[in-house]
Amino acid sequence: MRPDWDEYFLDIAKAVGQRATCLRRKYGAIIVKDKIIISTGYNGSPRGEVNCIDSGICERERLKVPKGERYELCVAVHAEQNAIINADPLKMEGATIYIAGVNVADNSTASGEPCKLCRRMIQNAKIARVVYQNADGELMRLKPSEIMN
């Protein structure tokens, strides 16, 4: 069966996430406008820094920090942040960002719901819509008024 556009772009975001360098989770994000991909990003260390998969060290994993807590211990830049950094600001206005994640340990779906900082960046980039899969694999769609909630 042919996927709808949201499923199609989420599958591409998941493929982008395969480049992620995090030992815990692999996230991919793509920004799309008028059914054209304008940017991609995955989670990983900043340019020029050692990647966690190369060093074998994840401070948050070592300390057993739960998802969504103590981001200051993590050296990675989020997939959404990288997609926004790499995009033309004019093209992002009114676009949709698709976010997909996978737990490295068991290859299960990780919630792609953006954290509060990423939500602020998404709003500031004037991205109009967020589409992601929750941990149950359900497709979630956020409208502009829901992005900051």
Side-chain angles (χ1 to χ4, degrees), residues 3-11 96 98 129 131 139 141:
D4 69 20
W5 286 107
D6 285 344
E7 293 167 330
Y8 171 73
F9 287 123
L10 267 176
D11 284 344
T96 298
Y98 294 87
R129 204 166 151 252
V131 178
L139 209 64
R141 296 171 176 95

Side-chain angles (χ1 to χ4, degrees), residues 27 67 101 103 108-113 132-140:
Y27 283 101
K67 181 181 182 339
N103 292 303
S108 63
T109 300
S111 177
E113 182 175 6
Y132 66 93
Q133 282 183 307
N134 66 17
D136 295 327
E138 181 182 5
L139 209 64
M140 307 299 290

Side-chain angles (χ1 to χ4, degrees), residues 22-26 61 102-110:
C22 179
L23 293 168
R24 293 177 104 183
R25 292 179 189 85
K26 294 182 178 284
E61 187 68 22
V102 174
N103 292 303
V104 172
D106 60 5
N107 210 35
S108 63
T109 300

Side-chain angles (χ1 to χ4, degrees), residues 36-91:
I36 297 169
I37 297 170
I38 61 172
S39 183
T40 68
Y42 54 85
N43 58 317
S45 299
R47 291 179 180 105
E49 296 294 321
V50 176
N51 293 308
C52 297
I53 60 170
D54 297 327
S55 70
I57 299 168
C58 173
E59 191 63 15
R60 291 178 70 230
E61 187 68 22
R62 186 182 73 74
L63 296 173
K64 308 272 189 262
V65 176
K67 181 181 182 339
E69 297 179 19
R70 305 284 319 266
Y71 285 127
E72 74 277 6
L73 296 174
C74 181
V75 299
V77 177
H78 289 187
E80 305 95 310
Q81 294 168 347
N82 274 321
I84 291 168
I85 289 166
N86 293 324
D88 177 339
L90 297 175
K91 291 182 180 178

